[in-house]
Amino acid sequence: MDDHAGLLTIDRAALAANWRLLAVRAGGAECAAVVKADAYGLGLEHAVPALAAAGCRSFFVAHVGEGFIARAYAPDAAIYVLNGFAAGRISTYRSHRLRPVLGSAAEIEAWHQLGAGCEPAALHVDTGMNRLGLRPEEARVLIEAGNLAERGIGLLMTHFASAEIADAPENAAQITRISDLAALMRSRGGANAAIPVSLANSSGLFLPGAPFFDLARPGYALYGGNPVPGRPNPMRPVIRLEAPIVQIRAVPAGECVGYNGNWRAARASRIATISCGYADGYPRNAGNSPDHPGGRAIVAGRECPFAGNVSMDLITLDITALPEGAVRPGDMATLIGDGLDLDAVGRSARTTGYEILTNLGRRYRRVIRD
Ligand SMILES: *Cc1c(COP(=O)(O)O)cnc(C)c1O
């Protein structure tokens, strides 16, 4: 074994191809890239240049600090900051040409006071999440006043609560609310009529019959996540995660493995211990226990189940089904890749692929493929 670190391979050609596929899906609408949370855990410094080179001209981050970093890799792009207007950082918005996504009357007013000399902000309308943004009736009053452009607002956006559930009734309700506001804005004429509208996230781009308006904002699907759960994933996998086997041991029938002895050998078993654990962001909830099958890894081409709990730095795999001598310490086990996709890994840990991505650990050796 050369090293204890897991190996995280990031395929930037696949990332760029995924953006292009979504850009084609968006049709006449522009396709942005959501790169919040350090590009969903992949690293802004890796993702943003590849997306910009593929043709992406608009990016969304969550924090001003992320926008500050993204700017270095996309000098000409529009960069929106989703989590509201952090007025204390106004000089950074100005110097780095960051665009806040305004989500309340107070933020709109503060932007009006402070935003001179900045690029235009976005206005967030909450059409059904009750999380961020003006209520539709508040947005209506503002649009009817007809001075969005004068207030430094250059985009109207909302966000789906359940786009990955194609038949969720809330989708149609949200589409109606934003469509009504968009139509109202168009009917006003002048500068306000030209303000673009943005709705779709990754799954929204695959919702049958959903309008895309002017700008789509996919995140997860760019990184290989499945925007249509339960159906074949149209995206290319972007990350691959492997961890070295540090030890292979024989466990007699009846003995237990790991913390709290959650797994008991039903027969004489062989266990491979790999160097990856919850300190690397691999969820402890992926442990195998009597009530939950837990995670799996591919070893020597075969899917092997976890045996017992995930430890801080180690995971134990049941490799009894492999031929004796099929693997040795130092060989790699695949935790994501080789058919084990992000969404399946998320389910095995009772969470989503989003959380798997954004928790990808800092100890992995990151290898970039272009
Ligand atoms: C995270 C986010 C997105 C991207 O969503 P995905 O499901 O990752 O495509 C788009 N818009 C907003 C407001 C978001 O918070």
Side-chain angles (χ1 to χ4, degrees):
M1 188 178 34
D2 294 333
D3 199 305
H4 294 114
L7 183 64
L8 178 67
T9 309
I10 299 174
D11 181 348
R12 292 207 292 192
L15 176 65
N18 285 343
W19 182 82
R20 284 191 291 266
L21 186 145
L22 296 170
V24 168
R25 264 205 89 73
E30 183 190 338
C31 188
V34 180
V35 294
K36 62 197 183 191
D38 206 18
Y40 287 52
L42 273 65
L44 283 166
E45 72 277 29
H46 302 312
V48 174
L51 291 162
C56 183
R57 291 175 284 118
S58 297
F59 293 88
F60 287 81
V61 295
H63 292 195
V64 175
E66 295 176 327
F68 182 95
I69 296 169
R71 176 54 79 205
Y73 302 103
D76 304 320
I79 299 178
Y80 294 91
V81 180
L82 288 166
N83 280 13
F85 177 39
R89 302 289 304 273
I90 183 62
S91 61
T92 306
Y93 287 94
R94 195 171 291 116
S95 62
H96 285 64
R97 289 168 287 125
L98 305 179
R99 305 176 178 213
V101 177
L102 308 174
S104 69
E107 287 181 3
I108 294 166
E109 185 50 34
W111 181 247
H112 191 41
Q113 299 296 325
L114 301 171
C118 294
E119 293 199 0
L123 177 62
H124 200 156
V125 183
D126 194 306
T127 53
M129 271 193 113
N130 280 311
R131 191 179 67 166
L132 278 181
L134 296 188
R135 297 185 61 82
E137 58 272 22
E138 294 174 306
R140 172 168 289 275
V141 170
L142 210 64
I143 292 169
E144 280 173 343
N147 58 3
L148 292 185
E150 286 156 41
R151 290 172 163 269
I153 292 168
L155 177 72
L156 181 72
M157 60 168 270
T158 190
H159 187 46
F160 278 123
S162 308
E164 74 283 6
I165 305 167
D167 55 4
E170 187 63 16
N171 293 332
Q174 289 193 269
I175 290 169
T176 301
R177 290 181 196 122
I178 192 68
S179 299
D180 288 351
L181 292 173
L184 179 66
M185 216 164 59
R186 297 287 178 259
S187 74
R188 302 299 300 178
N192 291 293
I195 291 175
V197 176
S198 176
L199 166 63
N201 63 340
S202 298
S203 295
L205 276 168
F206 292 84
L207 260 187
F212 300 152
F213 298 103
D214 307 297
L215 179 71
R217 306 185 312 272
Y220 188 51
L222 293 171
Y223 311 103
N226 188 356
V228 286
R231 304 217 311 266
N233 188 350
M235 312 314 297
R236 268 170 64 175
V238 173
I239 64 160
R240 182 181 166 81
L241 177 62
E242 298 159 274
I245 297 174
V246 291
Q247 193 172 106
I248 294 171
R249 48 195 306 127
V251 176
E255 289 193 10
C256 292
V257 171
Y259 284 115
N260 310 123
N262 263 354
W263 188 89
R264 186 182 296 276
R267 52 179 172 163
S269 299
R270 274 176 304 121
I271 296 294
T273 305
I274 64 173
S275 182
C276 175
Y278 62 77
D280 297 296
Y282 201 103
R284 191 171 177 280
N285 275 340
N288 158 280
S289 62
D291 68 329
H292 181 63
R296 288 150 290 155
I298 311 282
V299 185
R302 267 201 46 193
E303 219 173 87
C304 299
F306 290 10
N309 274 329
V310 172
S311 304
M312 187 181 295
D313 312 290
L314 299 165
I315 295 171
T316 38
L317 305 174
D318 177 10
I319 60 162
T320 314
L322 295 181
E324 193 105 27
V327 282
R328 294 181 305 198
D331 290 349
M332 298 300 260
T334 304
L335 287 162
I336 302 173
D338 294 344
L340 268 183
D341 66 45
L342 265 178
D343 295 82
V345 172
R347 280 192 301 277
S348 74
R350 298 192 250 227
T351 179
T352 63
Y354 288 76
E355 196 173 339
I356 302 295
L357 276 178
T358 54
N359 282 329
L360 286 169
R362 298 165 303 278
R363 290 193 291 193
Y364 299 138
R365 193 155 61 81
R366 291 178 180 229
V367 173
I368 309 301
R369 297 241 181 285
D370 282 305

